């Protein structure tokens, strides 16, 4: 082992030579050699343990990533299934509402037709009553004047009601 440092003077070279002799004597000593071998074995064991731990940590990391991926896939599957069910339910509800609205519209049309028929019948019956009242008022002309005035008033009221209903219809 040589160390070069800037300007070296003779005193430093002598110290370096002495230091190298001490190292040679120490390296020749069996206890020092045993100590160095032990350090080498410890160093090798530490490197071996380090690689084992690193491998284990990497494997655990991979296992956790794989587990997380599987859970993610399960969640996506559940969400997809839920989404499909929800969409099916919404479509079903929408179709029921549309059918109900169509039925309601048909019922309204049917009731409207019935109301028009009923209205026509009432108008006809009122018209018949008016014509019978006219005929009876002609017969009543032979009766005293007081009775004729009452019938004429009733007749005017019936005509006003009919006129109001006809104007509302328009």
């Amino acid at each position: 082992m040589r160390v070069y440092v800037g300007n070296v003077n003779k005193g430093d070279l002598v110290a370096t030579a002495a230091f190298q002799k001490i190292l040679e004597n120490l390296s020749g000593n069996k206890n020092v050699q045993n100590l160095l071998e032990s350090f080498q074995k410890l160093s090798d064991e530490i490197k071996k343990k380090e690689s084992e731990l690193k491998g284990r940590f990497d494997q655990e990391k991979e296992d956790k990533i794989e587990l997380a991926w599987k859970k993610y896939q399960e969640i996506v599957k559940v969400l997809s299934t839920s989404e499909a069910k929800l969409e099916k339910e919404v479509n079903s509800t929408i179709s029921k509402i549309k059918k109900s609205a169509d039925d309601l519209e048909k019922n309204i049309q049917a009731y409207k037709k019935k109301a028009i028929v009923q209205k026509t019948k009432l108008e006809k019956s009122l018209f018949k009553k008016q014509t019978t009242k006219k005929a009876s008022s002609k017969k009543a002309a032979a009766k005293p004047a007081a009775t004729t005035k009452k019938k004429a008033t009733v007749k005017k009221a019936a005509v006003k009601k009919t006129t109001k209903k006809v104007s509302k219809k328009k």
Side-chain angles (χ1 to χ4, degrees):
M1 171 171 113
R2 291 189 180 181
V3 178
Y4 299 100
V5 179
N7 293 333
V8 180
N9 55 24
K10 287 184 182 180
D12 290 337
L13 287 176
V14 173
T16 308
F19 184 68
Q20 284 180 347
K21 258 190 177 182
I22 293 172
L23 283 177
E24 285 176 11
N25 288 336
L26 284 174
S27 61
N29 189 345
K30 288 186 180 183
N31 288 335
V32 172
Q33 286 179 353
N34 286 337
L35 182 65
L36 289 175
E37 286 176 12
S38 296
F39 275 131
Q40 188 62 39
K41 285 180 184 178
L42 284 173
S43 176
D44 290 342
E45 285 183 36
I46 288 172
K47 286 180 183 178
K48 185 178 175 183
K49 286 290 184 184
E50 178 185 13
S51 65
E52 285 177 13
L53 289 174
K54 186 176 179 185
R56 186 185 311 158
F57 288 144
D58 287 345
Q59 185 60 38
E60 286 177 3
K61 184 173 101 176
E62 289 296 322
D63 290 345
K64 286 182 181 180
I65 289 172
E66 188 177 333
L67 180 65
W69 180 252
K70 285 180 181 178
K71 286 191 179 208
Y72 171 76
Q73 292 295 338
E74 288 174 8
I75 290 170
V76 167
K77 186 177 179 181
V78 168
L79 286 176
S80 297
T81 306
S82 297
E83 182 182 9
K85 285 180 182 178
L86 179 64
E87 192 170 324
K88 184 179 177 182
E89 188 75 27
V90 167
N91 289 337
S92 172
T93 303
I94 288 173
S95 65
K96 286 178 184 177
I97 289 172
K98 284 181 180 179
K99 185 178 184 253
S100 177
D102 289 343
D103 290 345
L104 184 62
E105 195 170 321
K106 287 177 185 176
N107 288 340
I108 288 172
Q109 291 296 330
Y111 288 128
K112 186 175 180 181
K113 287 179 182 178
K114 286 180 183 179
I116 290 172
V117 168
Q118 190 70 24
K119 179 181 173 187
T120 308
K121 285 181 183 178
L122 287 174
E123 286 176 348
K124 284 182 181 178
S125 69
L126 282 175
F127 183 72
K128 280 185 181 180
K129 285 182 182 178
Q130 288 177 357
T131 54
T132 54
K133 286 182 183 178
K134 284 183 184 178
S136 63
S137 64
K138 287 181 183 177
K139 290 180 184 177
K143 291 186 179 180
T147 314
T148 309
K149 285 184 182 178
K150 280 186 181 179
K151 286 185 179 181
T153 310
V154 170
K155 181 181 173 183
K156 285 181 184 178
V159 170
K160 285 182 183 178
K161 285 182 183 178
T162 308
T163 310
K164 284 181 184 178
K165 288 183 180 179
V166 171
S167 63
K168 285 182 182 177
K169 181 179 175 184
K170 291 179 183 180

